[in-house]
Amino acid sequence: MIYLKRPGWHLPESTATDEQVYLNRRQWLKKMGIGGIASGVMASGMLYAPSAHADASLNPWKDLYPVKNNPKYKGERELTGERYATTYNNFYEFGSHKSIANSAQKLRISPWQVRIEGLVEKPMTVDFDKLVRQMPLEERILRHRCVETWAMTVPWSGFEMKHLVKFAKPLSSARYISFETLADGETMPGISQPWHPWPYLEGVTVEEAMNELCFIATGLYGKPIPKQNGAPLRLVLPWKYGFKSIKSIVRIQFTKDRPVSFWEESAPKEYGFWANVNPEVPHRRWSQASERLLGSNERVPTRLYNGYEEYVAGLYANMSSDARLFM
Ligand code: MTE
C-alpha cells in the first residue's frame, strides 16, 4: 500500500485545479471596485481584500493587528490575493485536498497552550495569549514555495523565531528543534488516516531557527492568522519547501538528535529533512525548475533557496553538496 503513504502532493498537476473554480482574481477585484494598480496590493497601504472566512471579529487577538510592516522583506512579486491564500490550503489534519478552509473552522484556538520541553533550562507550558503579547510583532511579505510547485507571496505578521528560542532558554547541548501540530480527533477528520504518523511534526536546526528569516506567523493580511493557515501560530521558512512550515503548533522540543519529520516518515524517498528549495534537484516524480503563482497561474522559474540565498546559504556552506541536502 505504498501509494497510500504518499501525500496528496503526488497527485498530477491536472488534478490540483480547485482554484479554477474560484473567481479569477482580477475579475473579483473589479467586482469589488478595486482595479488597476490597486490589484498589486502593497503592505504599506494595508489594502487587503476581505477574507473568504472573515471570522476575525471573533478572534481574541484581533486587537494586535495590523502590525508595523518591516520594509526589508518586500516579497518582490505581486501579492497573492487573500482569497486564494486563504482558500487553497494544505492542512492534512482537515483533509488531503486543498479545500479545507471550511472544515478547519472547527479548530478550537482559544485557549491555546504551547508546551516547551526537552533540552531547556526549565520545561514549561505557556499560554499563547501570554506569549504573543510579549513578542515584538512585525509584518513581512515573503514568498512561499510548495513542493507541489505552486507558490504565493503573502504578508505574514508575527515574530522572529529567535525570540522564541531565547524565551525557551535552551541548553547548549540542544542542536535541533522539533515542532508538533495539535492532533485532535474530535475536530480534525484527517488524523483518522492511519498511514500517516500523526501528529504532524517538523524540525529545524537551532542554527536555522536563529536565522533572521525563520519566522513564527500569528497573523496574515493584517489580521489574526485564519485557522486554515495554521492559527494561532505556525512556522514560516521561506527558503524551504512549504511542508516544513508547520501549522497550529502545540509542542516545541529541543533535542540533541535530528527529529524525523512527518513527511520524511510517511515517504522517506520523496521528502527529506532539509527540503531547501532547489530548482536543480527534481522531486522523484516531477521537476522543481518552475512554479505556478497562485491566482494568476503564471509559471515562473524557481530560484535556489526560493531566492533567499543571501540570508541562508551560509547555514549550509560546510555541509556536503549531496543532492539529498536539498531534498
Ligand atoms: N502543517 C500541518 N500541521 N499540516 C499540513 O498538512 N501542510 C504544509 C504546511 N504546514 C501542513 C502544514 C504544506 S505542504 C504547505 S505547502 C503549507 O503548510 C501550506 O500553507 P498554507 O495552507 O497556509 O498555504
Side-chain angles (χ1 to χ4, degrees):
M1 299 296 269
I2 276 284
Y3 75 97
L4 281 176
K5 289 188 113 192
R6 284 178 179 158
W9 304 329
H10 79 277
L11 292 175
E13 189 79 350
S14 58
T15 63
T17 52
D18 294 12
E19 71 190 88
Q20 302 291 355
V21 303
Y22 300 120
L23 289 171
N24 172 282
R25 176 165 178 259
R26 284 181 200 284
Q27 280 172 355
W28 181 78
L29 286 167
K30 212 169 154 192
K31 243 185 175 171
M32 300 297 293
I34 311 167
I37 201 138
S39 61
V41 182
M42 288 299 148
S44 52
M46 286 296 173
L47 176 61
Y48 301 129
S51 162
H53 300 270
D55 65 348
S57 63
L58 303 172
N59 188 290
W61 303 292
K62 63 178 188 297
D63 60 299
L64 293 172
Y65 307 93
V67 296
K68 199 169 182 304
N69 174 261
N70 183 339
K72 185 171 177 191
Y73 309 98
K74 295 188 198 312
E76 292 164 28
R77 276 182 189 162
E78 190 176 327
L79 214 58
T80 301
E82 181 176 355
R83 193 177 178 82
Y84 290 101
T86 58
T87 57
Y88 186 91
N89 302 101
N90 277 331
F91 203 163
Y92 274 65
E93 287 83 341
F94 294 99
S96 52
H97 52 88
K98 300 288 180 282
S99 306
I100 53 78
N102 275 330
S103 58
Q105 301 315 305
K106 291 204 183 79
L107 183 66
R108 287 187 284 254
I109 55 169
S110 178
W112 188 274
Q113 294 185 319
V114 182
R115 177 78 186 152
I116 299 176
E117 59 190 2
L119 300 173
V120 291
E121 277 180 22
K122 201 172 164 214
M124 61 178 131
T125 301
V126 59
D127 273 326
F128 171 71
D129 186 71
K130 195 173 154 225
L131 182 73
V132 69
R133 290 184 188 283
Q134 62 181 282
M135 289 290 152
L137 299 180
E138 58 172 90
E139 181 186 68
R140 295 178 171 193
I141 301 181
L142 296 167
R143 297 181 297 279
H144 171 101
R145 169 59 154 83
C146 178
V147 73
E148 296 166 320
T149 78
W150 57 266
M152 62 180 185
T153 304
V154 296
W156 300 108
S157 306
F159 52 91
E160 269 184 45
M161 177 66 200
K162 77 167 182 225
H163 298 298
L164 188 47
V165 173
K166 282 179 194 153
F167 177 85
K169 299 197 177 78
L171 303 178
S172 58
S173 50
R175 292 182 53 217
Y176 296 91
I177 309 177
S178 75
F179 302 82
E180 279 175 34
T181 297
L182 176 74
D184 175 20
E186 265 183 44
T187 53
M188 297 172 149
I191 68 167
S192 62
Q193 299 182 327
W195 51 89
H196 282 311
W198 308 103
Y200 197 102
L201 186 149
E202 260 308 336
V204 293
T205 62
V206 171
E207 207 191 350
E208 287 176 324
M210 296 301 285
N211 184 276
E212 68 170 275
L213 272 193
C214 187
F215 200 65
I216 294 284
T218 58
L220 188 59
Y221 293 94
K223 288 173 283 198
I225 191 167
K227 294 178 178 179
Q228 61 271 29
N229 294 96
L233 77 163
R234 71 170 288 170
L235 200 58
V236 171
L237 298 163
W239 73 98
K240 292 181 179 283
Y241 290 118
F243 66 88
K244 297 287 296 182
S245 293
I246 183 172
K247 296 178 171 181
S248 305
I249 297 163
V250 289
R251 187 167 175 234
I252 300 175
Q253 203 181 354
F254 290 78
T255 61
K256 189 168 143 295
D257 299 321
R258 182 163 82 72
V260 179
S261 56
F262 178 84
W263 288 119
E264 198 183 359
E265 199 171 333
S266 290
K269 293 195 176 141
E270 312 220 340
Y271 306 101
F273 176 79
W274 299 103
N276 292 319
V277 175
N278 188 341
E280 285 174 15
V281 178
H283 181 272
R284 276 187 107 201
R285 283 174 290 114
W286 60 80
S287 162
Q288 293 291 17
S290 69
E291 61 206 56
R292 176 176 58 89
L293 304 182
L294 221 55
S296 70
N297 275 344
E298 186 191 344
R299 216 161 239 292
V300 298
T302 288
R303 292 157 70 192
L304 183 62
Y305 299 112
N306 200 20
Y308 293 107
E309 192 170 359
E310 62 179 296
Y311 296 94
V312 297
L315 290 170
Y316 313 103
N318 296 325
M319 292 176 77
S320 137
S321 61
D322 188 320
R324 275 177 302 149
L325 176 61
F326 297 100
M327 197 176 92

